[in-house]
Amino acid sequence: MALSARNRLRGTVRSITTQGPIAEVVVDVDGNEVAATITSDSVERLGIAEGDEVTAVVKASDVMIAT
Amino acid sequence: MALSARNRLRGTVRSITTQGPIAEVVVDVDGNEVAATITSDSVERLGIAEGDEVTAVVKASDVMIAT
Amino acid sequence: MALSARNRLRGTVRSITTQGPIAEVVVDVDGNEVAATITSDSVERLGIAEGDEVTAVVKASDVMIAT
Amino acid sequence: MALSARNRLRGTVRSITTQGPIAEVVVDVDGNEVAATITSDSVERLGIAEGDEVTAVVKASDVMIAT
Amino acid sequence: MALSARNRLRGTVRSITTQGPIAEVVVDVDGNEVAATITSDSVERLGIAEGDEVTAVVKASDVMIAT
Amino acid sequence: MALSARNRLRGTVRSITTQGPIAEVVVDVDGNEVAATITSDSVERLGIAEGDEVTAVVKASDVMIAT
């Protein structure tokens, strides 16, 4: 599936912390930590677990620049 | 400034492509490319240029996970 | 590719209107119009054209409810 | 109220699943399922229930295109 | 129209700067400046002009907190 | 830290309501209420409490205009 979202950061799931409806998935991308808050349902639907290879996907318009 | 947005990816500006009101800023984060579309005004306001050290900031709720 | 974004609306590209860096892609989803503003680069990268079958993808957290 | 958000998908509430602070509202739009995660407070404030006619509102910049 | 988006900031349009497909609408909210980048089409569709009373609408999940 | 996000609304924390993983932070900005839903972790990380001076930060592309 090709997607218009511009950013694809391939990495390994370091942790999944589920708290009620929300889950925080932390992905290790070449030593950088990228955290995603998705629904717990999505974690189940995707069937992801610690150690899995995943891609963190982000629209370029959702990325801010700080100096 | 501490910010509630969870993700801070430190890197070097590889390119800034301005097209009318929109600019695409591509940041090299340890070999990973992170692109931000921000307004051309923001590029000017931040005074950023190719080679600068910047931080790509992303809310965890704006990060999707793909398998 | 499985993606954490919850909404997948399958339809046909009705029009693509490019204006500088931004393109508006209108998708006919069973008679409902769904418009996406993506970058012109994404239109090229995806290689989409009028009449193509595509999927409009939306995170559930980006959907508002109005009464 | 006219709103700059471009997409208005009229449909019927099929389900409302509340889990702590978050509620998932699933709207049937001509046979297509559109899910919104909004706060439980918003569900109360809007006073919506299963079977109600509502509009799913989405900014065009929040819609991605996949092929 | 009641909307699940939580924030409604009533104010006066101070300026509208259109640049190709994108328009920046600056709203004066009790002396605070709130800027929205919307499509030029939306400006036309809403028929807004400098001096008009409008409401800046923002989802609570799109608001970040900085200290 | 300079940030590409355009809107900075300085105000006082009026309330923080934590419910599991999500917290709603309401900021009084010159008599206007601005609500942010951020993660409970972020509230802790920022160390904010009622009465604190904070800034509500919003990307211009996340602001909608209603008439």
Side-chain angles (χ1 to χ4, degrees):
Chain A
M1 180 173 87
L3 186 64
S4 56
R6 175 81 162 69
N7 295 297
R8 316 292 191 88
L9 301 168
R10 191 72 179 156
T12 310
V13 174
R14 195 187 285 172
S15 65
I16 299 177
T17 314
T18 301
Q19 212 183 343
I22 301 287
E24 181 184 79
V25 180
V26 175
V27 183
D28 180 317
V29 177
D30 296 321
N32 286 286
E33 199 179 88
V34 176
T37 38
I38 62 177
T39 62
S40 314
D41 292 348
S42 293
V43 171
E44 251 173 72
R45 180 163 50 83
L46 294 176
I48 50 174
E50 230 171 271
D52 285 0
E53 284 294 305
V54 295
T55 304
V57 178
V58 188
K59 292 192 298 166
S61 56
D62 283 336
V63 180
M64 293 166 275
I65 298 291
T67 57
Chain B
M1 181 173 86
L3 186 64
S4 57
R6 175 80 162 70
N7 295 296
R8 314 292 190 89
L9 300 168
R10 192 72 182 157
T12 310
V13 175
R14 196 186 284 172
S15 67
I16 300 177
T17 314
T18 300
Q19 212 183 341
I22 301 286
E24 182 186 79
V25 180
V26 175
V27 183
D28 180 319
V29 177
D30 296 322
N32 286 286
E33 200 179 87
V34 176
T37 37
I38 62 177
T39 62
S40 315
D41 291 350
S42 292
V43 170
E44 249 171 74
R45 180 164 49 85
L46 293 175
I48 50 174
E50 230 172 272
D52 285 1
E53 284 295 304
V54 295
T55 304
V57 178
V58 187
K59 292 191 301 167
S61 55
D62 284 335
V63 180
M64 293 166 277
I65 297 292
T67 57
Chain C
M1 181 173 87
L3 186 64
S4 56
R6 176 81 161 67
N7 295 296
R8 316 290 190 89
L9 300 169
R10 191 73 182 157
T12 311
V13 175
R14 195 187 285 172
S15 66
I16 299 177
T17 314
T18 300
Q19 211 183 343
I22 301 287
E24 182 186 79
V25 179
V26 175
V27 183
D28 180 319
V29 177
D30 297 321
N32 285 286
E33 199 179 87
V34 176
T37 38
I38 62 176
T39 62
S40 314
D41 292 350
S42 292
V43 171
E44 250 173 74
R45 180 164 49 84
L46 294 175
I48 50 174
E50 225 170 286
D52 285 0
E53 284 295 303
V54 295
T55 304
V57 178
V58 187
K59 292 191 301 169
S61 56
D62 283 335
V63 180
M64 293 165 278
I65 297 292
T67 57
Chain D
M1 182 173 86
L3 187 64
S4 57
R6 175 80 162 67
N7 294 297
R8 315 293 192 85
L9 300 169
R10 192 71 180 157
T12 311
V13 175
R14 196 187 286 173
S15 67
I16 300 176
T17 313
T18 301
Q19 213 183 342
I22 301 285
E24 181 184 80
V25 179
V26 175
V27 183
D28 180 316
V29 177
D30 296 322
N32 286 287
E33 199 179 272
V34 175
T37 37
I38 61 177
T39 62
S40 315
D41 292 349
S42 293
V43 171
E44 250 172 75
R45 180 163 50 85
L46 293 176
I48 50 174
E50 226 170 284
D52 285 359
E53 284 295 303
V54 294
T55 304
V57 178
V58 188
K59 292 191 299 166
S61 56
D62 284 335
V63 180
M64 293 166 276
I65 297 292
T67 55
Chain E
M1 183 172 87
L3 187 64
S4 56
R6 175 82 162 67
N7 295 298
R8 314 292 189 88
L9 300 169
R10 191 73 181 156
T12 310
V13 175
R14 195 187 285 173
S15 66
I16 300 176
T17 313
T18 300
Q19 212 183 343
I22 301 286
E24 182 186 77
V25 180
V26 175
V27 183
D28 180 318
V29 177
D30 295 322
N32 286 286
E33 200 179 86
V34 175
T37 37
I38 62 177
T39 62
S40 314
D41 292 349
S42 293
V43 170
E44 251 173 74
R45 180 164 49 85
L46 293 176
I48 50 174
E50 224 168 287
D52 285 0
E53 284 294 304
V54 296
T55 304
V57 178
V58 188
K59 290 191 302 170
S61 55
D62 283 335
V63 180
M64 294 166 277
I65 297 292
T67 57
Chain F
M1 181 172 87
L3 186 65
S4 56
R6 175 80 162 67
N7 294 297
R8 315 293 191 86
L9 300 169
R10 191 72 181 157
T12 311
V13 175
R14 195 187 286 172
S15 66
I16 300 177
T17 313
T18 300
Q19 212 183 342
I22 302 286
E24 181 185 78
V25 180
V26 176
V27 183
D28 180 316
V29 177
D30 296 322
N32 286 286
E33 200 179 88
V34 175
T37 38
I38 62 177
T39 62
S40 314
D41 291 349
S42 293
V43 171
E44 250 173 72
R45 181 164 49 84
L46 293 176
I48 50 173
E50 226 169 286
D52 286 359
E53 284 295 303
V54 296
T55 304
V57 178
V58 188
K59 292 192 301 167
S61 56
D62 283 335
V63 180
M64 293 166 276
I65 298 292
T67 56

